[in-house]
Structure formats: C-alpha cells, structure tokens
Amino acid sequence: MDDGRRGSGGGRALTLIVVAVLGLAGFLGYRGELPGWPLFTGPGTAIAPMPPAQTPPLDRAAVAAAVEPAMVHISTATETFGQGAAGSGIVLSADGQVLTSHHVVKGADTVTVTSVGTGQIWSATVLGYDSGVDIALLELPGAAGLTVARLGSSADVRLHDEVLAIGNAGGAGGTPTSITGNITDLDSTIVALNSADLSRKALSGMLEVAAGVTSGQSGGALADWRGAIIGVITAASGEHDPEVDSPNGYAVPIDTAMRVVRQIRSGTPTDTVHIGPTATLGVLISDGRPSGARIDVAIYGSPAHAAGLADGEVITSIDGRAITSARALRAAINVRKPDETVRLGVLGPGGVERTVTVVLGKGAPN
C-alpha cells in the first residue's frame, strides 16, 4: 500500500553501502550508525577464521554458462512519475515463477521480464513479497518450458568459499555481468536507505562477498563452484566511492529466500509476507502520540480521502483490532486485499472518536 511511502520512482535498483545515490528506486546502505538508528556492526560468525575449504577452483566461464539461461532481466515503471528501475531475477519454475529482490519491484505499476536464455518478454505479476528480507516472487503469465535454476543450500556456505555474482549490471540488459569473490561473512547486518522515500531498513543475516557488485544486479544470483544458487544479490558497497578500497557485495541466503517463497506459495499471508495484489488506504502515516497511526496526508482521490479521513487524525483500530503505531497499521493492511472493506477507529484532533468504513484500493508493491 502507499501508506507511509512518500513517493515512488525510478533508477537502477540496488542497495549500496556508503556510496552515491544511484536513482529514485535505489537503496543506500550504511554499515554503522545512522541518526536515530542503533549501531549495526553485524554479529559476524561464531567460528574463528578457517583456511579455505578444499573445494575445486571456481571456473567463472563454466558457472556463468550454467546459471545465465535460468536468469531474467527485470525493468519496472510507475504510472505516476513515468520512471522505472532495472534489476535481475532467478527462474524457480518452468512455468515462470521468478525470484528477485523486493526493492526491484517496490512501487512498480508495471513489471517487464526478459529471459536471458531466450529473449522472450513477459508482463509479470507480483505474487508476493517480504520487504523485511528484501525478497519478492513474480509470475510470468503464459510461460512454459523455462530453464530452471539449480538451487543449493546457504547452510553449506563457509567463510572463504569462492562464489560468482551474476546479474544485469547497469540495468543495460544483454549478457549478465559476472564477478568472482570470496565469502567474508556469513551473518552481516546492514542498514539500507531507500533513496526514493529516504526510508531505512535493517537487513540482517546477509552473506557478504568480497566482490564489486554493481547496480542492476539486485535480484541476481550468487552461485557456488557447482553453479548452484546460494544467495540473492541485494546490496553492494564501494561503487562510485573512492574511499572504499575493498568493495563488498551482500546477498540474502537462498534458504532464507526460499522460506519466503514457500510462504507465498502457501497462499497464507503473515504480518511480514504479503500475498497477491497490494491493498492501500492511500495515506502517508507516522506514529501517533501517545499511540496509533497518525494520518500525515490523506492522498487526494484515495480510498481514505473518499471516506472522509483527514490529515492529522489518528487511526486507533482496524476491525476492532487496536492499532498502536504506523507499523502496526501497515502490518494490518498487509494481509488485506484490494476492494476489501475495513472499519477504522479514528481519533480526531479534538479528541472526538468515530468509526469510518473504507473500501481498500489497489496499490503498488510496498
């Protein structure tokens, strides 16, 4: 839903660590302290540094050749601003389920997917997503016979393992760009700053790899020496930053990503996993004082505006369930569907309580 999102936009989608903004849909990530945020140094691993595992050397060309046919390029657009973003995806099923990063499709009204292997193009549907771990699942209507990625297990990943990061670098399409590196952390925590709306998000449990991952590779594959996918590329550090001598890439472990995929496939939403079209009230919100979700802006023409909700009012409940914060309201709307009717408890600036019935609208992925 649009609730709490102060804008959507374009640019080449990628999380970055202490580097320049890439575009309106990009992320900036910070390893360290941000105003109003706790210090995230990353718990690291509980294992002392070990010698490199005795695995065969990674053959970059062979691994890329094995992985690329099961990859797609993704481009998105927003109707409001006419701008877009670019990213990558990994084919999970022959009938067209595609794994990617949530921030690649965040705010998108249209999502276009191009097969790296065949050049076929689809208008994709967002089946579901978990913004908290930056994972989304897409569907390509009418797809059949697609080459499916070979999945490994991130539980088998060890420090110093050599891996290959593959994706749509620069958002230019064509042959994906691949870069090798070694795993340097199994449990990194970063803070991602979305340059579209300046929202910040802590991403934890990330695989860190010493490789110069670049914009457009978000949603791409982190593969091991066998060509098995062990992570979904999400973040990078060092790009366009001369002060960063050793750039790193960050990936969501494939085991974490597939837990989200299985939840989406189950058809059962949770407070964090959204399934199907996104419902929206059409409000920008913040935490109410002392409690509730304050309406900062009821967007003109939105369901909230049509129902008579006004700027400055505080939403205190939804269908009888107490709402204590902006986050709680987002979570409650997250499990709803467009065209669903909800009853909101609302507190006016003068302390007047009322109940407002709202029919939720259809919004872009949050």
Side-chain angles (χ1 to χ4, degrees):
M1 71 176 181
D2 280 335
D3 313 310
R5 194 181 76 227
R6 295 184 179 274
S8 58
R12 291 168 178 167
L14 179 68
T15 306
L16 301 180
I17 311 299
V18 197
V19 292
V21 176
L22 285 181
L24 293 180
F27 274 160
L28 275 173
Y30 293 82
R31 189 92 184 260
E33 187 174 10
L34 286 174
W37 277 69
L39 180 65
F40 289 103
T41 57
T45 64
I47 304 173
M50 298 170 58
Q54 297 301 311
T55 58
L58 186 148
D59 184 327
R60 176 174 174 173
V63 172
V67 174
E68 287 174 6
M71 294 194 65
V72 299
H73 298 319
I74 298 174
S75 61
T76 69
T78 62
E79 295 176 0
T80 304
F81 299 100
Q83 297 172 322
S88 306
I90 302 164
V91 178
L92 295 182
S93 68
D95 60 355
Q97 287 193 350
V98 172
L99 177 64
T100 189
S101 298
H102 165 261
H103 75 263
V104 170
V105 298
K106 180 182 179 183
D109 292 304
T110 61
V111 180
T112 302
V113 172
T114 304
S115 168
V116 171
T118 67
Q120 289 177 278
I121 300 175
W122 296 269
S123 179
T125 299
V126 179
L127 290 179
Y129 51 85
D130 186 335
S131 63
V133 295
D134 199 24
I135 288 296
L137 182 64
L138 311 182
E139 181 179 52
L140 312 181
L146 300 186
T147 300
V148 177
R150 177 186 179 187
L151 302 184
S153 173
S154 46
D156 298 330
V157 179
R158 298 292 181 265
L159 288 175
H160 312 295
D161 281 356
E162 189 176 15
V163 293
L164 188 69
I166 311 175
N168 182 19
T175 302
T177 298
S178 59
I179 184 168
T180 57
N182 295 94
I183 297 292
T184 51
D185 194 354
L186 302 176
D187 193 16
S188 284
T189 296
I190 62 174
V191 174
L193 174 63
N194 189 327
S195 62
D197 55 12
L198 301 182
S199 62
R200 298 166 181 163
K201 183 179 295 294
L203 298 173
S204 61
M206 311 285 283
L207 298 176
E208 181 183 75
V209 55
V213 176
T214 58
S215 59
Q217 289 184 301
S218 285
L222 191 68
D224 65 14
W225 65 275
R226 301 167 300 171
I229 310 301
I230 51 91
V232 181
I233 300 170
T234 297
S237 67
E239 187 178 25
H240 307 310
D241 190 342
E243 295 184 2
V244 178
D245 297 326
S246 302
N248 293 314
Y250 296 86
V252 177
I254 194 63
D255 294 354
T256 300
M258 291 308 295
R259 281 197 293 271
V260 175
V261 169
R262 288 191 292 271
Q263 186 68 43
I264 294 171
R265 287 172 171 171
S266 77
T268 305
T270 70
D271 285 351
T272 60
V273 177
H274 179 84
I275 298 174
T278 302
T280 183
L281 279 171
V283 292
L284 303 180
I285 56 177
S286 59
D287 287 341
R289 296 289 183 268
S291 183
R294 183 184 187 278
I295 300 174
D296 297 322
V297 178
I299 299 171
Y300 181 80
S302 70
H305 182 267
L309 291 173
D311 300 356
E313 291 187 308
V314 176
I315 297 173
T316 58
S317 68
I318 180 169
D319 292 335
R321 172 185 172 185
I323 296 298
T324 58
S325 64
R327 181 177 180 179
L329 179 60
R330 295 187 188 104
I333 298 297
N334 189 58
V335 299
R336 302 308 205 275
K337 302 291 185 184
D339 298 324
E340 191 172 332
T341 299
V342 296
R343 290 171 57 83
L344 303 177
V346 178
L347 184 64
V352 178
E353 298 183 18
R354 63 191 182 111
T355 300
V356 179
T357 299
V358 183
V359 179
L360 300 175
K362 182 178 180 180
N366 296 328

